[in-house]
Amino acid sequence: MNDGFTVKLVRQKTSVFVPRDGSILYSLLNAGIDVPYSCGSGICGACEQDVLSGVPEHRDFVLNEDEKASGKFIMICCSGSATPELELDL
């Protein structure tokens, strides 16, 4: 995982590689995938997505500790993945 991880977008039936220290949000945008966002720094919650599988690595200031521990949500602008693949409901 030193090189990054893959985000699998289930509804769009596609996958996008996110380089180490990269952003899920900007990797998706660079791949031509339109997703909602606003601040880009993990404080507004506009980019929140549902996680279907994988373990999010949270770096946001929106989710509380219980929400982070559940692993069901991720702020894609600033958070990453602790697993090689993260599956999102997108």
Side-chain angles (χ1 to χ4, degrees), residues 25-26 35-41 44-47 77:
L25 171 64
Y26 293 110
V35 289
Y37 70 99
S38 184
C39 73
S41 59
C44 75
C47 68
C77 68

Side-chain angles (χ1 to χ4, degrees), residues 48-60:
E48 181 176 341
Q49 297 297 324
D50 293 336
V51 175
L52 301 176
S53 70
V55 179
E57 187 177 90
H58 298 287
R59 300 180 198 128
D60 66 89

Side-chain angles (χ1 to χ4, degrees), residues 3-83:
D3 293 335
F5 59 94
T6 299
V7 175
K8 184 177 179 183
L9 309 178
V10 174
R11 286 187 279 142
Q12 296 195 28
K13 298 179 182 167
T14 192
S15 296
V16 174
F17 182 74
V18 179
R20 182 173 49 118
D21 298 326
S23 160
I24 297 171
L25 171 64
Y26 293 110
S27 294
L28 296 180
L29 292 173
N30 287 337
I33 299 166
D34 190 29
V35 289
Y37 70 99
S38 184
C39 73
S41 59
I43 59 173
C44 75
C47 68
E48 181 176 341
Q49 297 297 324
D50 293 336
V51 175
L52 301 176
S53 70
V55 179
E57 187 177 90
H58 298 287
R59 300 180 198 128
D60 66 89
F61 300 98
V62 177
L63 298 174
N64 65 38
E65 292 306 313
D66 289 337
E67 291 168 325
K68 288 178 181 180
S70 78
K72 294 181 181 180
F73 314 101
I74 188 169
M75 300 302 150
I76 62 170
C77 68
C78 62
S79 298
S81 180
T83 51

